[in-house]
Amino acid sequence: MTQAPEQTFDQSTVDRAQAIIARYPQSRSALLPMLHLVQSVEGYVSQEGIRFCAGQLDLSEAEVSAVATFYTMYKRRPCGEHLVSVCTNTLCAALGGDDIYATLKSHLGVGHEETAGEPGTPGSITLEHAECLAACDLGPVLQVNYEFYDNQTPDKALGLVKALQSGEKPAPTRGAPLTDFKQAELQLAGFFEGRDADLDGPSAAPETLRGAQIAKDRGWDAPTMPANAEFPALPEKK
């Protein structure tokens, strides 16, 4: 059942929500991208956003809230124009991630999931520490609106943030050209709005592919699995 949109969500947002729902055999499966759609409008997931999702998907607000509060990508407070995520998991931390986070925290005067500047306005920055950004071969790393900036140092990260505050959009190390948080959320919902070329951005760095390149150069191949390979029996479920 589709309810009338709340004031924040206009007809174009409702149309996008229905397009998301149409991708799935069961409407409730559309909840994750729909929460990204909400963030592309609001810059976070408000209670109004939760009601919107519940109405579009015929779910209870409790069901939507359970998902929105489980995943860290769904923000419960308004984000800045840019979300800066600093990896502080083991390897990045040991390589300088903790120092990078401390430098940015001091410069911005905010802590985890806090915003320097008025949320959503040009140059505003939301800072967070991330548990793992899956780029250990390029650590320490940080992301801006989920785009990678690899092999960082405190000075490089500080320069990046200052550039963001002044309205610049420095090119990520790999991936798509940098946009703002709301536009990134719209893409995560599946709408590229003329930015389809962003999908063509290189996602792998030379460091990541070095092992495969060495194997190719030396003619190394993994053995082919025999067509009649026997697999161990699965344990009996009790």
Side-chain angles (χ1 to χ4, degrees):
M1 178 182 67
T2 302
Q3 295 182 354
E6 303 269 1
Q7 184 177 1
T8 301
F9 303 101
D10 60 16
Q11 188 59 47
S12 67
T13 306
V14 174
D15 292 343
R16 285 174 176 151
Q18 291 302 306
I20 293 172
I21 292 170
R23 301 172 193 162
Y24 300 92
Q26 295 187 24
S27 62
R28 67 184 299 127
S29 300
L31 178 55
L32 297 183
M34 194 171 294
L35 285 166
H36 286 298
L37 177 65
V38 164
Q39 290 199 140
S40 77
V41 175
E42 297 187 291
Y44 74 121
V45 178
S46 68
Q47 194 61 39
E48 184 180 351
I50 287 173
R51 285 194 296 271
F52 174 79
C53 291
Q56 295 293 311
L57 298 171
D58 199 18
L59 296 173
S60 70
E61 291 182 31
E63 289 174 301
V64 177
S65 295
V67 174
T69 56
F70 182 83
Y71 294 103
T72 58
M73 287 181 76
Y74 302 124
K75 307 305 182 186
R76 301 313 309 276
R77 289 185 289 184
C79 275
E81 180 186 22
H82 299 294
L83 173 66
V84 175
S85 312
V86 181
C87 185
T88 55
N89 212 330
T90 307
L91 184 57
C92 277
L95 292 172
D98 284 343
D99 293 336
I100 291 170
Y101 181 77
T103 297
L104 298 185
K105 179 179 177 181
S106 175
H107 169 70
L108 295 170
V110 298
H112 177 59
E113 293 191 337
E114 294 178 348
T115 301
E118 184 67 25
T121 60
S124 55
I125 305 285
T126 297
L127 178 66
E128 68 176 1
H129 63 76
E131 278 305 306
C132 182
L133 297 180
C136 297
D137 48 345
L138 298 162
V141 301
L142 62 79
Q143 290 180 333
V144 179
N145 308 326
Y146 306 117
E147 298 296 343
F148 278 100
Y149 293 81
D150 303 318
N151 297 310
Q152 290 292 299
T153 66
D155 287 343
K156 287 170 66 175
L158 181 59
L160 170 61
V161 165
K162 287 181 176 179
L164 294 172
Q165 288 180 298
S166 67
E168 300 176 46
K169 288 185 170 63
T173 309
R174 50 199 164 94
L178 187 65
T179 182
D180 59 37
F181 177 71
K182 287 184 177 181
Q183 178 64 39
E185 287 297 305
L186 189 60
Q187 293 187 359
L188 287 170
F191 302 97
F192 286 81
E193 306 292 296
R195 294 179 60 101
D196 299 82
D198 287 2
L199 295 171
D200 300 328
S203 59
E207 293 90 337
T208 306
L209 302 176
R210 186 165 294 151
Q213 186 62 51
I214 290 172
K216 181 180 179 181
D217 293 343
R218 299 184 181 182
W220 296 344
D221 289 308
T224 303
M225 179 182 291
N228 59 348
E230 294 185 9
F231 294 92
L234 294 174
E236 182 180 353
K237 293 184 179 180
K238 297 181 180 179

